Amino acid sequence: MTTMKRKPLVAGNWKMNGDKALVADFINTLDATNAEGVDIVVCPPAVYLAAFGDVNFAIGAQDVSALDNGAHTGDLSVEMLKEVGCKYIIVGHSERREDHGESSEWVAEKAAKVVSGQLTPIICVGEPLEVREAGDDAVQGFIREQLRALTSKLSADELSRSVIAYEPIWAIGTGKTASPEQAQDVHAFIRSELADTDAEMASGMRILYGGSVKPANAQELFGQPDVDGGLIGGASLKTDDFIAICQSAKI
Ligand code: PEP
C-alpha cells in the first residue's frame, strides 16, 4: 500500500453537555490557539452551533438525519447543519447506536448523505467489552461487519471524503484507554480492510482514536503510525485539556 501523509484531526464531542458560557470560553481560548499542523473540530449540542460564529477551528454536529427536509419531527438535516456553519458531522457514535437503535446500514446512509452535502462525516466504529474479551479475532470480525456496511453503501471516492473514528465502547467515558498497541492494531486492521476496496483511499483515510483520551495519554496514542488524531469526549469540555490534546496531535 502506498503511504500518504495524513493531517491529524482532533474532534471534541461535547455530547449533551455544555452551555453558553462554555461556548464563550471556547471562542476566547481555542480561537487564540495556534492550529497549524492539526485540524480542530468542536462538536457542541446542536442548539449551540450557530453561537460559534467565525472562529479559526471547525464546528461539527453530533448526529444528523439521513433524510431530506420534511416531516421528521425533532430531526436535523445536513442542509440545516451546513447553513449554521458545520463542516463535520459525527455519525454512528455508540451512544446513538445504543440509545436510538441505529444499525450500521442506517449509519452508512447518514454518512452518504453527509458526503453528498459536501460535509465530512466522522464515522464511529468500535466493539463492546464482551467482544474485546473474546479476543482479537472477535474484535476484527465485529469491526469488519461495521465497515462492510460502509463499503457497500459508499464508493471509494465518498469514503475518501470521510473520516473514521475507532472508539472501543469499553473505553468511552470509563477512564479505561486502549493501550497504544491495541489502538494501533485495530487502526491498521481498519486500514487494511479499507484497502480491499481501494488502496489509495485506505492510505489517505484519517482514522481517529476515541476512548478516554486525556492530555497524559494523547501523545503516545497519536504517535502510533495508523492513529491520525482523536475523538475526545470528557476531556473536550475543558479548554486547557482539549488544547493540550490538540497540541499533542501536531505532526
Ligand atoms: C466519545 O464520546 O466519543 C468519547 C471518546 O468519550 P471519552 O473521551 O469521554 O471517553
Side-chain angles (χ1 to χ4, degrees):
M1 202 191 300
T2 51
T3 46
M4 198 182 276
K5 196 141 176 74
R6 298 176 293 267
K7 187 172 183 191
L9 188 156
V10 176
N13 171 18
W14 288 11
K15 312 189 187 197
M16 201 167 73
N17 294 300
D19 51 21
K20 285 183 184 173
L22 191 65
V23 172
D25 193 12
F26 268 73
I27 291 174
N28 292 332
T29 51
L30 188 56
D31 203 35
T33 298
N34 179 357
E36 217 175 296
V38 57
D39 286 336
I40 301 174
V41 188
V42 173
C43 303
V47 290
Y48 298 121
L49 285 165
F52 276 85
D54 191 18
V55 282
N56 79 346
F57 51 90
I59 57 164
Q62 299 175 12
D63 182 48
V64 69
S65 170
L67 306 170
D68 290 322
N69 287 355
H72 307 292
T73 304
D75 284 342
L76 297 172
S77 67
V78 171
E79 209 174 294
M80 292 167 183
L81 295 171
K82 194 172 173 175
E83 196 176 25
V84 295
C86 283
K87 295 278 183 275
Y88 293 82
I89 303 181
I90 299 170
V91 296
H93 192 282
S94 59
E95 288 154 15
R96 299 247 10 130
R97 291 180 190 251
E98 210 170 292
D99 295 352
H100 301 273
E102 293 189 9
S103 66
S104 293
E105 290 67 30
W106 192 233
V107 170
E109 293 280 346
K110 290 186 176 197
K113 192 76 182 167
V114 174
V115 173
S116 75
Q118 314 297 326
L119 301 187
T120 304
I122 299 175
I123 310 164
C124 303
V125 298
E127 80 286 355
L129 184 61
E130 63 272 20
V131 172
R132 171 56 65 174
E133 286 175 344
D136 290 346
D137 287 352
V139 172
Q140 293 193 354
F142 190 91
I143 304 282
R144 182 180 287 121
E145 284 310 305
Q146 291 186 321
L147 292 175
R148 281 206 177 136
L150 290 177
T151 51
S152 4
K153 174 74 194 167
L154 283 86
S155 66
D157 177 58
E158 289 172 317
L159 284 167
S160 72
R161 291 184 274 141
S162 308
V163 169
I164 289 183
Y166 168 57
E167 298 211 306
I169 298 171
W170 48 271
I172 298 179
T174 58
K176 281 188 212 154
T177 315
S179 68
E181 296 71 29
Q182 283 174 322
Q184 168 57 24
D185 283 354
V186 178
H187 282 229
F189 171 74
I190 291 172
R191 205 177 298 289
S192 74
E193 285 291 299
L194 294 174
D196 290 345
T197 298
D198 186 277
E200 202 178 327
M201 172 274 288
S203 162
M205 176 64 73
R206 292 194 285 185
I207 307 176
L208 314 182
Y209 169 77
S212 299
V213 177
K214 297 186 171 41
N217 59 23
Q219 195 153 22
E220 209 185 351
L221 285 159
F222 299 164
Q224 301 303 306
D226 287 290
V227 178
D228 306 309
L231 180 54
I232 320 299
S236 76
L237 293 167
K238 296 184 199 123
T239 45
D240 288 356
D241 284 359
F242 188 62
I243 290 168
I245 292 169
C246 293
Q247 301 302 335
S248 304
K250 289 187 176 183
I251 353 178

